[in-house]
C-alpha cells in the first residue's frame, strides 16, 4: 500500500500554491500538490506589458498570515537582489508579470509541488480510510496516491455569452474558450487567450470586446494603443475598437479603505449567516467589488481617446454600456460576424458587424471530471453546488472520515472574496489549521472596523 499523505492538493494556482507554501516546514505534515501543466503559469493570455495586480504586494502567497515565511514576495526580491530597486520604485501594486515570476519561483522550489501530473480520478477508499487519487504524467505514466485530506484548487474556467458558444466550438475549440470556426479561426476568443492572438487582432479592421471588467478594459486599452496618434501618413490605422458591456456603466472597482473591508474574515462570517437567496442577490449587486475596473486603467483609456482628438480627429472607438449580446452568427465568406445586441435600459435591439470578438466575460467554477467517482458521496445543494462550511470543508456522506476542501469555488457561500487574492493566504491558513486539527498559524479574531450585522450580535 502506498504511503498516506496528510494533505493532497489538486491544482497549483496561486491559492493552492499559497497552501503549499504555508505547509512547508510544518512538523509531521506530509503534503503533496499535483497539477497537469508542465510548470506554473498564471493567466498567460493576459500577461501584457504595463498591467499590474489589483491588490497590493502584501497579498502575496503568505504575508497576510505569516510575514516571516521564506516564501514572501519581499524575500523573493531579496533572493533576486532587487530590494533596492523595488524600494526606490515606491510600488504598492506590482506588475502582473512579476507576480507570475514570483509564483514560478516559489513553485519551482517547493518539494511538495509536482507538475505534469494530471489527476484522472478522485475516489474514497473504504479499506484505507483515505482518498485515492489517480494521476498521469507524460514521463511516468499512471500513479496512485492516498491522502486523508484533499484540497481542490483547480481554478475556474472561462465563460462566454451563450450566443457565442457555437462560434468558439465549431473548429475544435473547447466550450467557453478557444478558437473560432475554420473560416474565422482565431477571431472569436476568450480574453484568457488574448495574448496568443494579439498580433492578428491588431491587424484587423474592427474588433469588438465584450465585458466591462478589468480584463476587458486591458484588452480595449491594448488595442487602442495599436492605433497611431496624430496624422497617419499612410501608417496602419489599427483596429476600430468597440467595447460592449451588460453593466450600466464602465465603472471603477470599489477601492475605498472602508469598502475594502468586504474582503475580510469579518464580512465572510456575516455573509455566511445570511439566507441563501439574499447571498445570491448580494453577489449580483456587489459586482463593483470584484468585477469593476481599476481607476488607473479607466484613466489610461480616457487619455488614449483624448490624444486622438487633437487636431479635430475622432478616435476609432465606441463604448456601449448596458448592452447584452443576444444573437451571433458568422457572415458569409469569412467576412466577420453579425451581433444582435439589446440595449437593456431602452429595451431596443441593434446590430453590430465586426471582424473579431474578444469575450472578456469572466470565469466560473466547474465540477472537475475526476470528481465523478466521489460525486455520490458529496452533499450537493439544490443547484448542484458544494455545501461548504466555515473552514472551506465540503459536506460529504457521514461515513467518509476524510476531509474534502475547496478554494475559489465558494462564491455562493462565502461571498465576493472567493476569487480575490487578498484573502488567499488567510483561506489557505484556515484550511491548514483545519487539516492539522490544531492552530498551526494564528489568525485574527477581528480584521474590520465595520460591523456588518446587528450591533451586539
Amino acid at each position: 500500500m502506498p504511503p498516506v499523505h496528510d494533505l493532497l492538493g489538486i491544482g497549483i494556482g496561486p491559492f493552492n500554491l499559497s497552501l503549499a507554501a504555508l505547509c512547508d516546514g510544518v512538523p509531521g505534515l506530509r503534503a503533496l500538490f499535483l497539477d497537469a501543466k508542465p510548470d506554473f503559469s498564471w493567466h498567460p493570455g493576459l500577461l501584457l506589458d504595463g498591467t499590474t495586480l489589483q491588490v497590493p504586494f502584501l497579498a502575496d502567497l503568505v504575508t497576510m498570515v505569516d510575514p516571516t515565511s521564506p516564501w514572501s514576495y519581499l524575500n523573493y526580491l531579496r533572493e533576486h537582489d532587487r530590494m533596492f530597486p523595488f524600494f526606490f520604485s515606491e510600488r504598492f501594486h506590482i506588475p502582473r508579470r512579476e507576480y507570475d515570476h514570483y509564483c514560478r519561483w516559489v513553485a519551482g522550489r517547493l518539494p511538495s509541488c509536482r507538475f505534469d501530473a494530471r489527476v484522472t480520478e478522485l475516489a474514497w477508499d473504504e479499506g484505507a480510510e483515505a482518498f485515492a487519487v489517480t494521476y498521469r504524467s507524460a514521463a511516468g505514466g499512471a500513479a496512485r496516491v492516498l491522502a486523508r485530506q484533499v484540497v481542490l484548487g483547480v481554478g475556474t474556467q472561462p465563460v462566454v455569452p451563450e450566443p457565442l458558444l457555437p462560434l468558439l466550438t465549431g473548429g475544435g475549440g473547447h466550450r467557453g474558450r478557444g478558437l473560432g470556426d475554420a473560416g474565422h479561426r482565431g477571431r472569436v476568443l476568450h480574453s484568457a487567450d488574448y495574448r496568443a492572438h494579439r498580433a492578428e487582432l491588431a491587424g484587423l479592421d474592427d474588433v469588438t470586446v465584450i465585458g466591462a471588467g478589468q480584463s476587458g478594459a486591458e484588452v480595449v486599452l491594448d488595442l487602442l494603443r495599436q492605433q497611431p496618434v496624430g496624422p497617419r501618413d499612410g501608417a496602419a490605422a489599427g483596429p476600430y475598437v468597440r467595447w460592449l458591456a451588460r453593466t450600466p456603466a464602465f465603472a471603477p472597482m470599489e477601492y475605498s479603505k472602508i469598502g475594502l473591508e468586504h474582503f475580510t474574515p469579518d464580512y465572510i462570517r456575516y455573509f455566511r449567516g445570511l439566507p441563501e437567496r439574499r447571498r445570491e442577490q448580494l453577489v449580483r449587486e456587489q459586482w463593483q467589488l470584484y468585477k469593476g475596473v481599476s481607476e488607473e486603467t479607466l484613466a489610461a483609456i480616457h487619455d488614449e481617446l483624448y490624444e486622438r482628438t487633437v487636431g479635430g480627429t475622432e478616435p476609432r472607438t465606441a463604448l456601449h454600456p448596458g448592452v447584452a449580446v443576444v444573437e451571433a452568427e458568422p457572415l458569409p465568406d469569412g467576412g466577420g460576424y453579425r451581433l444582435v445586441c439589446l440595449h437593456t435600459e431602452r429595451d431596443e435591439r441593434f446590430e453590430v458587424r465586426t471582424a473579431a470578438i474578444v469575450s472578456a466575460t469572466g470565469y466560473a467554477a466547474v465540477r472537475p471530471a475526476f470528481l465523478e467517482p466521489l460525486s455520490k458521496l458529496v452533499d450537493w445543494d439544490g443547484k448542484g453546488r458544494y455545501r461548504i462550511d466555515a473552514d472551506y470543508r465540503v459536506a460529504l456522506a457521514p461515513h467518509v472520515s476524510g476531509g474534502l476542501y475547496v478554494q475559489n469555488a465558494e462564491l455562493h457561500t462565502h461571498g465576493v472574496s472567493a476569487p480575490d487574492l487578498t484573502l488567499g493566504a488567510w483561506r489557505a491558513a484556515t484550511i491548514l489549521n483545519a487539516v492539522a486539527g490544531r492552530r498551526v498559524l494564528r489568525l485574527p479574531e477581528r480584521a474590520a472596523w465595520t460591523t456588518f450585522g446587528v450591533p451586539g450580535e
Side-chain angles (χ1 to χ4, degrees):
M1 183 176 291
V4 180
H5 291 81
D6 300 300
L7 169 64
L8 187 141
I10 302 176
I12 309 177
F15 295 135
N16 258 0
L17 183 58
S18 173
L19 181 57
L22 294 173
C23 287
D24 186 49
V26 175
L29 184 69
R30 184 184 178 93
L32 176 66
F33 292 81
L34 306 175
D35 194 283
K37 299 187 295 293
D39 53 25
F40 182 90
S41 66
W42 180 71
H43 294 303
L46 285 169
L47 291 181
L48 305 175
D49 291 343
T51 57
T52 60
L53 282 189
Q54 288 183 284
V55 295
F57 72 89
L58 292 172
D60 62 14
L61 299 172
V62 294
T63 295
M64 294 294 284
V65 295
D66 184 10
T68 67
S69 169
W71 305 115
S72 70
Y73 170 75
L74 288 178
N75 195 49
Y76 155 82
L77 291 175
R78 178 180 176 274
E79 290 293 313
H80 289 81
D81 293 330
R82 299 180 64 236
M83 187 66 80
F84 276 91
F86 175 75
F87 177 76
F88 295 134
S89 72
E90 297 185 342
R91 289 180 179 270
F92 203 50
H93 294 80
I94 62 175
R96 193 176 294 166
R97 289 178 57 249
E98 186 175 33
Y99 179 78
D100 176 72
H101 189 259
Y102 155 66
C103 289
R104 288 174 178 271
W105 173 76
V106 175
R109 285 157 180 77
L110 283 175
S112 62
C113 291
R114 186 176 302 173
F115 291 91
D116 181 28
R118 181 173 61 86
V119 172
T120 57
E121 183 177 278
L122 173 63
W124 177 248
D125 188 319
E126 292 281 0
E129 292 190 352
F131 294 101
V133 181
T134 304
Y135 68 93
R136 299 189 63 85
S137 66
R144 183 175 182 268
V145 292
L146 298 174
R148 296 185 181 89
Q149 319 276 351
V150 170
V151 182
L152 301 180
V154 294
T156 52
Q157 292 295 317
V159 294
V160 300
E162 197 70 27
L164 295 184
L165 285 175
L167 305 180
L168 288 161
T169 58
H174 53 284
R175 182 176 177 86
R177 179 180 180 181
L179 302 174
D181 58 78
H184 303 75
R185 187 169 179 81
R187 295 188 181 182
V188 178
L189 59 142
H190 192 275
S191 56
D193 297 317
Y194 173 72
R195 192 179 178 197
H197 302 282
R198 179 173 177 260
E200 179 188 358
L201 293 170
L204 298 177
D205 293 331
D206 184 297
V207 178
T208 297
V209 180
I210 303 173
Q214 184 68 21
S215 298
E218 289 175 357
V219 170
V220 166
L221 178 60
D222 190 65
L223 290 170
L224 281 177
R225 287 172 172 166
Q226 312 301 317
Q227 300 176 0
V229 177
R232 295 190 176 91
D233 296 329
Y240 183 95
V241 182
R242 183 182 299 101
W243 193 9
L244 309 178
R246 291 180 63 95
T247 55
F250 298 104
M253 181 172 287
E254 168 61 66
Y255 207 72
S256 66
K257 294 178 181 180
I258 297 297
L260 288 177
E261 291 194 341
H262 286 85
F263 298 93
T264 59
D266 306 62
Y267 185 72
I268 289 177
R269 286 191 288 268
Y270 166 73
F271 185 87
R272 283 185 49 75
L274 296 172
E276 179 180 330
R277 181 176 297 180
R278 181 58 181 146
R279 291 200 304 264
E280 294 182 351
Q281 181 183 0
L282 273 175
V283 168
R284 293 191 298 270
E285 292 174 352
Q286 294 173 338
W287 62 273
Q288 274 186 262
L289 286 172
Y290 68 112
K291 290 184 177 180
V293 184
S294 72
E295 290 187 1
E296 292 79 8
T297 306
L298 289 174
I301 290 172
H302 188 275
D303 290 347
E304 292 292 332
L305 297 177
Y306 179 81
E307 281 199 61
R308 282 157 180 77
T309 64
V310 175
T313 60
E314 287 292 327
R316 302 179 64 249
T317 311
L319 279 60
H320 300 285
V323 169
V325 176
V326 294
E327 295 179 26
E329 64 178 4
L331 295 171
D333 303 321
Y337 301 89
R338 170 183 169 268
L339 302 178
V340 178
C341 302
L342 173 68
H343 193 285
T344 55
E345 292 185 356
R346 298 190 58 170
D347 196 27
E348 294 182 15
R349 295 193 175 202
F350 63 94
E351 288 189 9
V352 163
R353 298 196 174 208
T354 185
I357 304 165
V358 180
S359 184
T361 42
Y363 302 79
V366 296
R367 188 186 305 184
F370 64 72
L371 198 63
E372 186 58 32
L374 196 68
S375 62
K376 292 182 179 180
L377 301 180
V378 177
D379 182 17
W380 306 102
D381 73 6
K383 296 185 177 181
R385 303 170 300 191
Y386 304 109
R387 298 185 191 273
I388 306 168
D389 70 10
D391 292 330
Y392 298 90
R393 184 188 292 108
V394 173
L396 300 175
H399 71 277
V400 178
S401 58
L404 179 68
Y405 299 79
V406 293
Q407 302 215 60
N408 196 11
E410 72 281 2
L411 187 68
H412 60 295
T413 59
H414 288 64
V416 295
S417 63
D420 195 88
L421 294 175
T422 302
L423 280 173
W426 178 87
R427 178 175 52 198
T430 300
I431 293 172
L432 175 56
N433 287 347
V435 166
R438 59 187 176 86
R439 191 181 77 172
V440 178
L441 292 164
R442 183 176 64 85
L443 298 176
E445 292 295 323
R446 182 175 181 181
W449 299 117
T450 305
T451 299
F452 293 102
V454 176
E457 282 187 332

